[in-house]
Amino acid sequence: MPSAPPPATQWLLAFVINAVLIALAQRLPLLTRAGWVHAGILGTLLWGSLGWRGWLAVVLYLAMGSTVTRLGIRRKQQQGLAEGRGGRRGPENVWGSAATGAVLALLTTVPGAPAPLLMLGFAASFAAKLADTCGSEIGKRWGRTTVLITTLRPVPPGSEGAISLEGTIASLGGSAVMAAALLVLGLLPTVAAALLVAAVGLVATLIESLIGATLQGRLAWLSNELVNGLQTLIAALLAMGLAPLLEL
């Protein structure tokens, strides 16, 4: 894991590789044109800070999240529950999901920074976001009973703060898959660290639903993207705060 500022050549390589890949990938129905540009900026930051493993981890997150978003999309479109733009993500979605992780990745390059702890936060932020995507998309399509997290009263699928048993199980699965991928890539040091990341990913997703149920409808400025950013930040802080207590 990085503990010192990477050389200028790594940043140059990061820029060139991401520029070429983004130019080739723009026809894929994953992001808008502006979303691809911002994804290139994010990819450069990640490769420059963490190398190819950190970059690949987020590519895997994007691929898995986009796949889950398209599950049952015709039914969700009929019900008015599908993501706009055919599931394509824009700049606001890119940074709502990845701002926390990008900042933590950059902080690992600061001399003397606690890189292992920052990497736990990095991992937790993306585990939480994949958990959120899996829970939301699968819950909207296959959730049998959707309830408001604060009252447990039935509400329509897709409501802010709504949860379902199926969606919650999917959230745990998404968080666990992302943690496992990060472990395999060597970005998490132990199975215990991966279990912590998977757990806080689910917890942060439930907290995000609580924020949606209690605050999002009352505060006009609290957009979905800001809530996503808060969720990833909460996950990162939980992981970094619990790790020393658990002696990870």
Side-chain angles (χ1 to χ4, degrees):
M1 296 180 184
S3 60
T9 52
Q10 180 164 318
W11 285 97
L12 179 60
L13 179 64
F15 173 77
V16 172
I17 289 174
N18 280 277
V20 171
L21 291 176
I22 294 299
L24 295 174
Q26 285 197 33
R27 293 191 178 186
L28 294 176
L30 302 179
L31 303 172
T32 64
R33 185 178 296 273
W36 280 115
V37 172
H38 285 257
I41 296 170
L42 172 63
T44 300
L45 291 176
L46 293 172
W47 195 306
S49 302
L50 303 177
W52 68 269
R53 289 180 178 84
W55 175 87
L56 182 57
V58 179
V59 170
L60 290 174
Y61 154 75
L62 174 63
M64 290 186 287
S66 297
T67 299
V68 169
T69 298
R70 282 169 172 71
L71 291 176
I73 191 168
R74 290 186 179 179
R75 178 67 179 274
K76 287 184 284 190
Q77 287 173 335
Q78 293 170 355
Q79 297 175 320
L81 299 174
E83 293 287 337
R85 299 177 299 204
R88 294 175 185 260
R89 307 293 184 168
E92 70 282 3
N93 304 115
V94 171
W95 295 112
S97 302
T100 297
V103 170
L104 292 171
L106 286 171
L107 287 176
T108 64
T109 69
V110 176
L117 196 60
L118 293 170
M119 287 305 302
L120 270 177
F122 172 89
S125 73
F126 285 104
K129 195 64 199 74
L130 188 60
D132 177 44
T133 301
C134 290
S136 175
E137 296 300 330
I138 291 176
K140 285 188 293 187
R141 174 60 181 85
W142 286 284
R144 295 183 180 181
T145 302
T146 305
V147 299
L148 194 66
I149 191 171
T150 51
T151 64
L152 300 184
R153 292 180 178 176
V155 292
S159 301
E160 296 297 345
I163 60 172
S164 66
L165 175 61
E166 295 80 4
T168 302
I169 293 172
S171 290
L172 178 58
S175 188
V177 167
M178 193 69 225
L182 290 157
L183 179 65
V184 170
L185 285 170
L187 297 174
L188 289 173
T190 62
V191 172
L195 290 174
L196 172 63
V197 164
V200 301
L202 175 62
V203 171
T205 300
L206 294 175
I207 293 174
E208 188 257 4
S209 295
L210 185 61
I211 293 171
T214 58
L215 296 177
Q216 195 166 359
R218 301 178 184 179
L219 303 174
W221 53 266
L222 192 58
S223 65
N224 284 332
E225 290 70 39
L226 281 175
V227 173
N228 288 339
L230 282 173
Q231 181 210 13
T232 59
L233 178 61
I234 289 168
L237 292 176
L238 281 174
M240 292 189 292
L242 289 172
L245 298 177
L246 298 174
E247 298 182 352
L248 295 178

